[in-house]
């Protein structure tokens, strides 16, 4: 998230009227999670204007703390209107003062829920109440909200309105706006505003680099080249970032020859390439399945003693596996480890996918053991591939053994892993009862199954005339503490229509 590297967005200022406030109590220990759950459910259940949320919240007023407010707001991040009402209710409690974090969270909530009118009213109130200093970074959140809502003009108007809040936009603010717009591929609007406003700012290579990268992302390498040339004409010192963005734009546009010329120009200007520079060419060659060219670039990196990162190695490994050159992929994996680059799960999964596709069960199991020996945690995709293979070839005993070992390693199956087991067992003769057991385990864990999983299991049971078993599973679903699972019981008894209607009323709170 953008806020992860921002400095504090708002700072508390002394109250204009010098009124004294009582210290805000803090709640900790086992009480806090229960209060967060209870208040979050109240906020969710009172989401409409006619609901008297404030009346329902009043019994909790004496237990309110800044930490509690922050946690509730985070849980209710998709409930813009009622989260705002909760915030205002807490603010009205005598002696209570919101933390800086609470203001920030609410601004993000209102922006992500597209409640822009309320957002601006809230911001104006913050300015006029003298309770908080609004720093320019808070506008970065507003730029982001408008851009994510595909309202780039709204982001630009927000930039222009910074003056209303006592802030003169800086080059950093200008760069941030352009970056956020380009990240969401609103590059044309970013370029138009750049052309209008560039005379107001001291432009740097970073400003141009942002736009060059943006045009590259949407495949317009011509515009990227124009901007690079304009940067040279303006006398901006051209840095490595600008060159890398131009190279990426050219390669993405299919102009590898021109990119090579730019690379040599970069060297002539004594701008030293880094690992990312070379990775641009490696990714391009891998995408074109030109492995000879990719390895030529890799050899050049070795010669220059430039270490590729894990993503560059993974790109080559994946393409080698797609080409069924698994032995070369293993050699590259060994090279990574010997050079101090720690492989990640993607490195192993690319090879594992090849073993599983070719039903190489022994090699797949050896690789699973190696992943653990190399101190890399297998992910759900790793296990899903292995389970699918083992069930397909009838190694049910080994599948059970690996399933049980997951719990010992504190790796818990997801809905996709349960589905792999259930779907695979449903297709095997005499394994329907075992499929039902995995389904019941999933319900006991409170994991809502996929509709396709329910329908497959139901149809198999129906085909064998096991109506009682269908009812047993449906009853188990109805008794679940998960509302989603309760609703899905309709699918188990054959009422698909009821399920479809329920899908539109998904919970707005984060899963616990």
């Amino acid at each position: 998230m953008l806020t992860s590297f921002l400095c504090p967005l708002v700072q508390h200022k002394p109250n204009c009227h010098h009124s004294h406030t009582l210290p805000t109590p803090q709640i900790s220990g086992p009480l806090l999670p229960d209060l967060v759950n209870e208040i979050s459910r109240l906020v969710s259940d009172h989401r409409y204007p006619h609901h008297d949320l404030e009346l329902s919240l009043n019994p909790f007023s004496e237990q309110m703390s800044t930490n509690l407010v922050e946690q509730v707001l985070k849980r209710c991040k998709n409930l813009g209107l009622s989260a705002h009402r909760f915030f205002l209710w807490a603010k009205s409690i005598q002696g209570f003062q919101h933390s800086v974090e609470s203001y920030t969270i609410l601004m993000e909530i209102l922006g992500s829920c597209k409640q822009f009118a309320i957002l601006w009213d809230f911001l104006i109130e913050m300015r006029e109440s003298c309770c908080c200093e609004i720093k320019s970074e808070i506008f970065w959140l507003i730029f982001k909200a408008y851009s994510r809502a595909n309202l780039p003009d709204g982001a630009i108007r927000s930039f222009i309105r910074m003056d209303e809040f006592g802030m003169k936009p800086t080059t950093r603010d200008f760069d941030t706006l352009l970056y956020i717009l380009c990240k969401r591929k609103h590059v044309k609007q970013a370029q138009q505003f750049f052309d209008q406003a560039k005379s107001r700012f001291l432009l740097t290579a970073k400003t141009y680099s942002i736009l060059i990268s943006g045009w590259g992302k949407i495949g317009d390498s011509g515009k990227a080249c124009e901007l690079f040339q304009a940067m040279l004409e303006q006398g901006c010192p051209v840095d490595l970032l600008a060159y890398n963005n131009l190279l990426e734009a050219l390669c993405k546009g299919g102009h590898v020859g021109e990119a090579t010329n730019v690379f040599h120009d970069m060297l002539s200007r004594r701008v030293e390439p880094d690992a990312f520079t070379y990775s641009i060419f490696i990714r391009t060659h891998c995408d074109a399945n030109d492995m000879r060219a990719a390895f030529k670039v890799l050899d050049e990196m070795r010669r220059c003693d430039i270490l590729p990162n894990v993503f560059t190695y993974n790109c080559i490994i994946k393409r080698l596996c797609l080409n069924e050159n698994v032995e070369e992929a293993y050699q590259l994996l060994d090279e990574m480890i010997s050079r101090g680059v720690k492989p990640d799960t993607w490195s192993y999964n690319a090879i594992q996918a090849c073993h599983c596709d070719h039903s190489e069960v022994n090699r797949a199991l050896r690789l699973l053991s190696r992943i653990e020996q190399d101190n890399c945690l297998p992910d759900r995709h790793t296990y899903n591939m292995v389970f699918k293979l083992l069930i397909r070839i009838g190694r049910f005993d080994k599948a059970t053994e690996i399933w049980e070992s997951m719990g010992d390693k504190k790796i818990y199956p997801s809905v996709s892993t349960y589905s792999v087991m259930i779907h695979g067992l449903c297709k095997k003769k005499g394994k329907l009862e075992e499929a039902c057991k995995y389904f019941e385990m999933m319900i006991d864990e409170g994991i809502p199954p996929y509709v396709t999983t329910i329908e497959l299991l139901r149809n198999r049971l129906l085909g064998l005339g096991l109506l009682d078993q269908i009812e047993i599973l449906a009853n188990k679903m109805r008794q679940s503490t998960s509302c989603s699972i309760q609703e899905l019981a309709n699918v188990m008894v054959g009422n698909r229509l009821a399920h479809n209607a329920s899908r539109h009323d998904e919970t707005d709170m984060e899963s616990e």
Side-chain angles (χ1 to χ4, degrees), residues 65-77:
S65 70
T66 54
N67 189 18
L68 176 58
V69 170
E70 290 168 13
Q71 296 303 316
V72 171
L73 288 173
K74 288 175 182 177
R75 285 282 297 275
C76 300
K77 64 180 183 179

Side-chain angles (χ1 to χ4, degrees), residues 285-317:
H285 294 317
C286 286
D287 289 343
N289 200 17
D290 188 349
M291 298 312 294
R292 182 177 178 182
F295 274 105
K296 187 176 179 182
V297 177
L298 187 62
D299 288 340
E300 177 66 13
M301 292 182 75
R302 291 168 181 147
R303 189 183 67 79
C304 298
D305 199 26
I306 295 175
L307 192 63
N309 62 23
V310 65
F311 305 108
T312 305
Y313 273 117
N314 285 354
C315 183
I316 305 174
I317 288 172

Side-chain angles (χ1 to χ4, degrees), residues 107 119-127 134 139 142 165:
M107 288 294 295
L119 183 150
W120 284 107
D121 288 343
F122 182 59
L123 201 58
I124 290 167
E125 183 188 347
M126 287 167 60
R127 179 189 64 189
I134 304 169
F139 277 85
I142 301 174
F165 294 84

Side-chain angles (χ1 to χ4, degrees), residues 211-460:
L211 288 168
I212 290 169
S213 175
W215 284 114
K217 284 177 181 174
I218 64 172
D220 195 334
S221 56
K223 284 283 188 182
C225 289
E226 286 177 23
L227 273 166
F228 189 83
Q229 189 60 39
M231 179 172 56
L232 294 175
E233 291 170 1
Q234 288 293 322
C236 280
V238 185
D239 60 8
L240 179 61
L241 177 63
Y243 269 111
N244 281 348
N245 286 338
L246 179 60
L247 289 171
E248 198 166 26
L250 288 168
C251 286
K252 188 167 184 179
H255 305 291
V256 183
E258 193 173 343
T260 304
N261 293 336
V262 170
F263 177 80
H264 291 307
D265 176 68
M266 180 178 78
L267 295 177
S268 69
R269 292 175 183 266
R270 297 186 178 179
V271 178
E272 291 297 323
D274 63 0
F276 183 74
T277 313
Y278 288 103
S279 75
I280 294 167
F281 289 99
I282 287 176
R283 287 200 311 270
T284 302
H285 294 317
C286 286
D287 289 343
N289 200 17
D290 188 349
M291 298 312 294
R292 182 177 178 182
F295 274 105
K296 187 176 179 182
V297 177
L298 187 62
D299 288 340
E300 177 66 13
M301 292 182 75
R302 291 168 181 147
R303 189 183 67 79
C304 298
D305 199 26
I306 295 175
L307 192 63
N309 62 23
V310 65
F311 305 108
T312 305
Y313 273 117
N314 285 354
C315 183
I316 305 174
I317 288 172
K318 182 179 178 181
R319 176 50 68 179
L320 287 171
C321 290
L322 288 173
N323 292 343
E324 300 188 8
N325 294 325
V326 181
E327 299 310 321
E328 284 189 73
Y330 271 112
Q331 290 171 15
L332 216 54
L333 197 65
D334 293 336
E335 178 185 314
M336 290 173 71
I337 296 170
S338 67
R339 298 187 70 186
V341 180
K342 182 177 171 60
D344 63 10
T345 312
W346 289 91
S347 314
Y348 295 102
N349 281 354
I351 301 175
Q352 189 67 283
C354 194
H355 290 325
C356 292
D357 287 345
H358 291 81
S359 298
E360 297 171 346
V361 62
N362 291 331
R363 299 196 74 181
L365 294 174
R366 281 200 298 271
L367 182 59
L368 186 62
S369 298
R370 174 174 172 169
I371 295 172
E372 296 163 0
Q373 290 165 9
D374 290 348
N375 295 318
C376 179
L377 278 178
D379 65 4
R380 290 163 182 168
H381 185 52
T382 316
Y383 282 109
N384 289 354
M385 288 189 290
V386 173
F387 285 135
K388 195 177 289 187
L389 166 62
L390 292 172
I391 292 173
R392 186 173 71 242
I393 65 172
R395 290 289 305 274
F396 307 114
D397 55 335
K398 194 64 182 177
T400 303
E401 179 187 324
I402 293 173
W403 181 279
E404 291 171 353
S405 73
M406 288 173 68
D408 298 335
K409 297 166 189 153
K410 307 296 182 187
I411 300 171
Y412 302 105
S414 65
V415 60
S416 62
T417 310
Y418 274 110
S419 297
V420 165
M421 298 297 285
I422 295 165
H423 283 241
L425 290 167
C426 277
K427 294 171 185 175
K428 291 294 181 178
K429 187 176 180 180
K431 291 295 176 180
L432 189 56
E433 183 180 352
E434 200 168 340
C436 289
K437 286 180 182 177
Y438 280 101
F439 187 84
E440 291 187 54
M441 287 166 58
M442 179 164 52
I443 301 305
D444 289 338
E445 290 291 330
I447 301 173
Y450 296 137
V451 175
T452 51
T453 304
I454 301 171
E455 290 179 336
L456 175 64
L457 190 57
R458 179 183 181 276
N459 290 338
R460 288 291 189 273

